[in-house]
Amino acid sequence: MALFLENVSKLLLILAIGFLIGEGKESFIILFTFCMFRLQAGGRHAKNNIGCTLSMLFIWGLSLIASRYVTIGIPALVCIFIIGIAAVLLWVPQSINIGYFTSEATAVSATIARKKVYSFLFLCCSLIVAVIFGSIRMLIVSPIILEILTLIPNHNSLERSGKIEETTC
């Protein structure tokens, strides 16, 4: 419960900052996109709560800046989403202790498959929205790119080793 409250407080802080600077709707789109994808896909975690908060602020700020100064066409958008789908197939889920929360091997396989399917479906829906609504395209694409980067395995440690990880983000 404490972890849930910490994460909600981070999101509310970023949304409040977004509304204060006149970017409330944009902040909501960025956070919704990032969090929905991350919920299924997983990704690297910060070692502490401060690192997690700073990482979220970085993702939010970079996505806001990208939405103002970067434009991409449909072909580049499709390429980004193909890379995203490849990342989902190869690396989802990341940093999730499925074996810890699921007792049977078949249930673990089913959970991993479900997370891959949900991540794939989210990417497809995001692609459709980004194609239809060009004005918010980078608000959707930027956090997806940043989440894909967190999926790339860290070869220095085995994140899927089944060990229980203490993370706050």
Side-chain angles (χ1 to χ4, degrees):
M1 184 62 148
L3 181 60
F4 173 76
L5 292 175
E6 287 175 6
N7 286 327
V8 168
S9 65
K10 282 178 232 165
L11 296 175
L12 291 176
L13 170 71
I14 294 170
L15 278 175
I17 294 169
F19 278 102
L20 285 173
I21 64 171
E23 302 284 343
K25 176 187 82 167
E26 294 82 355
S27 297
F28 179 80
I29 293 168
I30 290 166
L31 292 174
F32 177 82
T33 303
F34 183 80
C35 291
M36 291 303 291
F37 189 29
R38 186 166 182 86
L39 183 65
Q40 294 307 316
R44 289 209 185 114
H45 291 280
K47 296 207 184 289
N48 57 49
N49 195 29
I50 293 171
C52 181
T53 303
L54 292 174
S55 298
M56 283 301 300
L57 284 167
F58 175 76
I59 289 164
W60 167 73
L62 192 60
S63 296
L64 274 179
I65 291 168
S67 73
R68 292 221 186 255
Y69 299 108
V70 178
T71 57
I72 60 170
I74 303 296
L77 180 66
V78 171
C79 288
I80 290 167
F81 279 88
I82 289 171
I83 292 167
I85 289 168
V88 164
L89 294 173
L90 292 171
W91 301 314
V92 166
Q94 280 289 324
S95 297
I96 293 186
N97 298 312
I98 292 173
Y100 177 72
F101 294 110
T102 312
S103 58
E104 298 178 25
T106 55
V108 172
S109 305
T111 303
I112 290 171
R114 187 172 56 249
K115 293 220 170 260
K116 285 182 184 293
V117 168
Y118 289 163
S119 296
F120 173 80
L121 291 174
F122 181 77
L123 280 176
C124 291
C125 291
S126 298
L127 172 63
I128 292 167
V129 171
V131 167
I132 294 172
F133 300 102
S135 62
I136 62 168
R137 183 173 295 155
M138 287 308 294
L139 295 172
I140 295 168
V141 173
S142 298
I144 286 176
I145 291 170
L146 294 170
E147 170 58 12
I148 289 168
L149 292 175
T150 72
L151 292 174
I152 298 170
N154 179 358
H155 294 290
N156 294 331
S157 67
L158 297 175
E159 293 180 344
R160 289 185 175 190
S161 66
K163 68 179 181 178
I164 299 171
E165 297 175 2
E166 291 290 326
T167 58
T168 60
C169 183

